[in-house]
Amino acid sequence: MISERDVEIYRREGYIVVPDVLDADEIAQLQAVIDGLIAHAATIDTHDDVYDLEPSHSRAQPRVRRIKTPHKIDPRFAALARHPNVLAILSKLIGPDLRLHGSKLNMKAPHYGSPVEWHQDWAFYPHTNDDILAIGVMLDDMELSNGPLLVVPGSHTGPIYDHHADGVFCGAIAPDEVGQEASRAVPLTGRAGSMSFHHVRLLHGSALNTSNRRRQLLLYEVAAADAWPLVGVSSLAEFDGRMIAGQPTITPRVTPVPVRMPLPPAAHQGSIYENQTGSRQRFFATADAVN
Ligand SMILES: O=C(O)CCC(=O)C(=O)O
């Protein structure tokens, strides 16, 4: 599915976009599951283990911002992480032995779909080595106006930014810390069915969806099996139960990667959106500010 040149680009820039990894039928099947999950949000009032809700959510006007850990909710999401096209790409980028770290489905509804402040995934889950990436499955066409991922090319080899505010982890980099880097960002656009692959240390964020089109991005975080989380492993059975290809190991590969621990933990737990409410300033406009 990808060439040696794509691998070189991933190593140099920290990301690639691969068009048409899924076909229209595969997208439609996932969409049917998602539609059912969104309909169920009309029965809840607050965030729970499955749903993260927009600030303006109500039962009458259900507004889902994120489905948490979709791979645990429906087997079709679990199967997608093992899709032959996906494994073929992953094995070229980070090797044949692969463990799922997590998954999430970020919705951005037309006009109010929330932004995500600048951050590096590595700040949330540092490991013994950084052969870790996030797959962004484009379930809708991604264009500049519907809030695609924005990434800063090459930033995966740079510093690990401070993601704290008032001495507490908040999962966002202060706008003045990001500085000029944000002006170099590029949007990861593409047709529905395309996938982006971005390095765990790549600086990225995304703006409010100001368009009249939905933007659903299904994210899987995948690590080389010998990357072990620095916060520890409490159950080896659970950890190894997340292998999606190849063999697990109890011999972590340790490389000299810069690390800042996400501690003390965020005051607002639950999701990156909640964590980031702890940041003092915002880079991206929110729906409240715009509407
Ligand atoms: O959904 C997005 O646009 C950004 C998602 C992201 O970076 C995250 O959830 O870590």
Side-chain angles (χ1 to χ4, degrees), residues 25 36 115 125 127 141 148 184 220 247 257:
D25 272 0
Y125 44 88
H127 280 59
D141 293 346
R184 298 202 298 114
Y220 293 91
Q247 295 306 314
V257 281

Side-chain angles (χ1 to χ4, degrees), residues 1-2 16-24 26-27 80 83-90 135-138 191-197:
M1 281 241 82
I2 60 171
I16 51 170
V17 175
V18 185
D20 305 328
V21 184
L22 300 183
D23 63 30
E26 290 171 309
I27 300 271
L80 183 51
H83 190 293
N85 291 351
V86 173
L87 293 182
I89 297 167
L90 289 174
I135 310 170
V137 183
M138 300 183 192
R191 282 188 297 275
S194 307
M195 293 189 191
S196 59
F197 295 79

Side-chain angles (χ1 to χ4, degrees), residues 159-277:
I160 303 308
Y161 288 87
D162 189 358
H163 291 63
H164 287 64
D166 301 321
V168 176
F169 184 71
C170 70
I173 306 168
D176 50 359
E177 285 261 329
V178 176
Q180 288 303 306
E181 285 296 84
S183 62
R184 298 202 298 114
V186 297
L188 301 190
T189 53
R191 282 188 297 275
S194 307
M195 293 189 191
S196 59
F197 295 79
H198 73 257
H199 190 278
V200 70
R201 286 170 55 192
L202 197 71
L203 185 56
H204 64 287
S206 68
L208 182 70
N209 182 358
T210 54
S211 75
N212 55 10
R213 283 168 303 98
R214 195 187 63 186
R215 189 229 71 166
Q216 292 182 345
L217 183 67
L218 173 60
L219 291 148
Y220 293 91
E221 300 145 345
V222 183
D226 61 6
W228 276 55
L230 295 182
V231 292
V233 170
S234 49
S235 159
L236 189 60
E238 189 280 330
F239 188 55
D240 287 345
R242 286 190 268 117
M243 289 295 294
I244 55 171
Q247 295 306 314
T249 177
I250 54 163
T251 311
R253 179 166 46 97
V254 182
T255 62
V257 281
V259 164
R260 269 175 205 261
M261 295 304 284
L263 298 171
H268 307 275
Q269 289 292 319
S271 73
I272 189 171
Y273 300 102
E274 286 299 292
N275 296 169
Q276 291 189 342
T277 59

Side-chain angles (χ1 to χ4, degrees), residues 42 56-64 112:
S56 54
H57 167 86
S58 66
R59 287 187 182 217
Q61 280 197 312
R63 293 184 163 184
V64 181
Y112 61 80

Side-chain angles (χ1 to χ4, degrees), residues 66 104 106 108 116 119 121 149 204 206 215 219 272:
R66 168 180 287 184
K104 52 207 175 184
N106 288 351
K108 273 197 195 178
V116 177
H119 65 281
D121 296 338
L149 266 187
H204 64 287
S206 68
R215 189 229 71 166
L219 291 148
I272 189 171

